């Protein structure tokens, strides 16, 4: 997950005038076929400070001698992960290099031909639109895990689901998202979005709380997990949670984090989500004025609620791992453009769309604007002025689409 190296001073590092470029490998925990391979960094935050992120694409090909981290067995599977990281980079305005750690990972004519082709598209991308079209912002507060029990203590069942599996659900929710740090929000640098997801806002400074309050208008939806605002300079406070979220809470000293979803509201979502383990404490949101979307497993106690305020909406989940199908539903209610409904890994910007499939089947993509669509993998033009198109793909396949590229591209 993005905090895997326990680097917690990212906000400070992003503001260093002496550093222009940051780099790291992408996620190791979700780089198998069907995973998102998302960056372990925050390109949208870096861009606010005029800096570039470069992905170290060290996915093992089928030629690697590394059984612990090799997730592909054939040339075709190798090509899918190579394409996925190009797609992640070009749709997020990032840089990329392919890293060979043993001297033979790319020693195949098919692999080198693919990299040469992607390099040509990468060159073309420099003259194509790459600005973000994300209407969802994820906000992280990297110091807030310090307020939880150690993640390997057996007492913390929030960290791993929140910083690993929840990120995977964002990638499969069908709409692109920008990932920022809470310091960016506090300084007024985060541009307007329709949905703001506060991943770990357990403690906010007064200035950060004021910045959050400024988001509460214009129909925006704010999403919270576990214990938003519970920790203050004066101590632990349910009143501070209520002031931040617009929802009142009861605290219980222990309880499970497993949540049963309403099948009527989310027929395509799993019936339950969240770790089926005892956590201390847990927070019970009030039903007053709220829609109940889910309840603590085996009970009638609300655990996932949505409350519409005068000019904004608040959605609270007591547990992490909020499923992609639920996210997709609340996105649509907030007016976010959803590209696809199939729980596949999607990333997109103004000129590019990338899909890496979590399951085989037909995939219908709805674009945010009509465009001439070119399939980067095949080089074929799918059509002119398309707003929607359907492709059939196997599991673990990467499809990359260029929107209105130069006529001689491909």
């Amino acid at each position: 997950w993005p905090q895997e190296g326990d680097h917690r001073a990212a906000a400070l590092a992003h503001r260093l005038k002496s550093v222009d470029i940051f780099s790291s490998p992408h996620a190791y925990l979700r780089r198998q076929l069907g995973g998102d391979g998302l960056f372990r960094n925050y390109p949208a935050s870096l861009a606010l400070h005029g800096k570039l992120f470069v992905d170290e694409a060290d996915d093992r090909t089928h030629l690697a001698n590394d059984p612990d981290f090799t997730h592909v067995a054939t040339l075709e599977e190798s090509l899918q992960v190579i394409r996925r990281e190009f797609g992640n980079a070009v749709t997020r305005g990032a840089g990329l290099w392919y890293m060979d750690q043993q001297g033979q990972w790319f020693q195949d004519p098919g692999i080198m031909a693919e990299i040469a082709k992607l390099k040509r598209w990468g060159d073309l991308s420099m003259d194509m639109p790459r600005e973000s079209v994300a209407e969802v912002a994820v906000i992280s507060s990297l110091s807030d895990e310090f307020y939880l029990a150690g993640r390997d203590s057996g007492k913390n069942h929030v960290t791993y689901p929140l910083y690993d599996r929840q990120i995977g659900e964002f990638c499969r929710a069908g709409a692109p998202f920008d990932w920022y740090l809470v310091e960016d929000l506090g300084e007024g640098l985060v541009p307007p979005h329709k949905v703001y997801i506060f991943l770990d806002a357990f403690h906010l400074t007064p200035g950060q709380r004021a910045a959050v309050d400024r988001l509460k208008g214009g129909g925006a939806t704010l999403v919270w997990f576990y214990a938003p605002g519970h920790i203050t300079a004066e101590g632990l406070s349910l009143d501070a949670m209520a002031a931040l979220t617009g929802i009142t809470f009861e605290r219980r000293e222990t309880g499970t984090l497993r949540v049963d979803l309403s099948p009527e509201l989310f027929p395509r979502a799993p019936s339950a989500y969240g770790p089926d383990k005892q956590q201390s404490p847990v927070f019970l949101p009030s039903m007053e004025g709220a829609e109940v979307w889910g309840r603590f497993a085996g009970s009638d106690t609300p655990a996932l609620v949505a409350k519409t305020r005068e000019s904004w909406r608040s959605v609270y989940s007591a547990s992490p791992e909020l499923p992609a199908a639920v996210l997709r539903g609340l996105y649509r209610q907030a007016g976010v453009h959803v590209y696809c409904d199939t729980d596949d890994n999607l990333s997109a910007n103004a000129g590019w769309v990338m899909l890496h499939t979590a399951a085989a089947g037909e995939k219908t993509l709805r674009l945010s604007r009509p465009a001439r669509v070119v399939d980067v993998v095949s080089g074929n033009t799918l059509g002119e002025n398309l707003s929607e198109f359907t492709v059939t793909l196997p599991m673990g396949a990467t499809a990359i689409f260029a929107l209105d590229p130069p006529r001689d591209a491909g």
Side-chain angles (χ1 to χ4, degrees):
W1 70 96
Q3 297 170 325
E4 187 162 347
D6 285 322
H7 299 296
R8 302 309 172 97
L12 178 63
H14 291 184
R15 288 156 177 77
L16 291 174
K17 297 187 182 302
S18 55
V19 179
D20 299 310
I21 299 171
F22 288 79
S23 184
S24 76
H26 49 268
Y28 274 85
L29 295 177
R30 301 187 312 278
R31 60 167 56 185
Q32 74 285 357
L33 288 170
D36 53 83
L38 188 64
F39 307 142
R40 294 193 301 192
N41 211 296
Y42 313 89
S45 176
L46 284 168
L48 297 177
H49 305 280
K51 303 186 190 300
L52 175 68
F53 177 71
V54 179
D55 179 39
E56 178 185 288
D58 63 342
D59 290 288
R60 280 66 169 159
T61 72
H62 67 293
L63 302 175
N65 181 22
D66 189 352
D68 290 337
F69 294 103
T70 302
H71 303 295
V72 297
T74 66
L75 170 62
E76 183 60 28
E77 290 179 348
S78 297
L79 296 179
Q80 301 306 331
V81 297
I82 287 170
R83 291 166 184 156
R84 179 180 62 191
E85 287 321 302
F86 176 83
N88 273 331
V90 78
T91 57
R92 295 177 182 272
L96 166 71
W97 91 86
Y98 292 104
M99 183 182 186
D100 184 344
Q101 296 182 11
Q102 295 177 324
Q104 83 279 2
W105 291 2
F106 303 105
Q107 288 186 3
D108 184 291
I111 290 177
M112 293 310 298
E114 185 70 18
I115 290 175
K117 178 177 71 176
L118 295 176
K119 171 63 166 63
R120 291 192 295 271
W121 278 105
D123 292 342
L124 286 169
S125 78
M126 301 307 291
D127 295 318
M128 292 174 58
R130 286 168 69 160
E131 62 267 21
S132 172
V133 294
E135 297 173 305
V136 177
V138 175
I139 312 292
S140 280
S141 180
L142 300 186
S143 64
D144 281 21
E145 193 188 348
F146 293 140
Y147 296 101
L148 302 175
R151 59 178 176 255
D152 294 320
S153 66
K155 300 178 181 179
N156 173 359
H157 305 296
V158 174
T159 291
Y160 280 120
L162 196 60
Y163 298 145
D164 173 26
R165 293 188 284 277
Q166 186 60 65
I167 304 305
E169 296 298 324
F170 293 149
C171 291
R172 299 190 301 113
F177 62 95
D178 289 330
W179 202 345
Y180 301 102
L181 302 180
V182 71
E183 290 85 354
D184 301 324
L185 183 69
E187 294 178 14
L189 300 178
V190 176
H193 290 71
K194 293 180 179 178
V195 174
Y196 300 87
I197 301 176
F198 292 89
L199 193 66
D200 46 7
F202 312 142
H203 171 266
L204 298 174
T205 68
Q208 291 163 358
R209 282 178 172 268
V212 172
D213 287 340
R214 290 192 288 272
L215 303 177
K216 298 174 180 177
T221 295
L222 280 60
V223 183
W224 321 90
F225 291 98
Y226 186 55
H230 187 50
I231 301 151
T232 73
E234 291 74 35
L236 305 180
S237 172
L238 294 177
D239 289 340
M241 293 178 70
L244 182 66
T245 65
I247 299 168
T248 58
F249 292 89
E250 175 188 345
R251 171 177 164 145
R252 288 187 182 172
E253 289 313 304
T254 188
T256 180
L257 290 178
R258 190 72 172 166
V259 176
D260 292 333
L261 283 169
S262 167
E264 295 81 13
L265 293 174
F266 305 106
R268 298 184 63 177
S271 60
Y273 72 94
D276 191 13
K277 296 182 179 180
Q278 293 291 309
Q279 176 71 28
S280 177
V282 294
F283 300 92
L284 285 54
S286 170
M287 294 175 55
E288 184 179 357
E291 303 170 41
V292 178
W293 291 358
R295 302 176 187 273
F296 285 101
S299 78
D300 291 328
T301 306
L304 173 63
V305 300
K307 188 172 184 178
T308 300
R309 310 292 293 179
E310 183 176 349
S311 57
W312 62 288
R313 199 177 204 202
S314 186
V315 177
Y316 169 77
S317 174
S319 179
E321 300 183 54
L322 191 60
V326 178
L327 292 166
R328 206 156 39 241
L330 73 87
Y331 289 174
R332 283 204 168 95
Q333 292 176 13
V336 171
H337 177 80
V338 175
Y339 284 72
C340 67
D341 300 318
T342 51
D343 275 12
D344 295 300
N345 302 287
L346 177 128
S347 185
N349 64 9
W352 299 84
V353 178
M354 188 270 287
L355 194 73
H356 181 77
T357 59
E362 284 193 348
K363 317 294 178 180
T364 297
L365 286 166
R366 295 174 294 274
L367 303 181
S368 60
R369 62 174 177 88
R372 179 171 55 87
V373 179
V374 175
D375 182 336
V376 167
V377 174
S378 69
N380 296 329
T381 298
L382 301 187
E384 304 279 345
N385 204 36
L386 293 181
S387 295
E388 180 178 307
F389 60 93
T390 299
V391 293
T392 301
L393 297 168
M395 180 271 176
T398 301
I400 305 168
F401 304 102
L403 309 183
D404 294 323
R407 288 284 174 180
D408 57 354

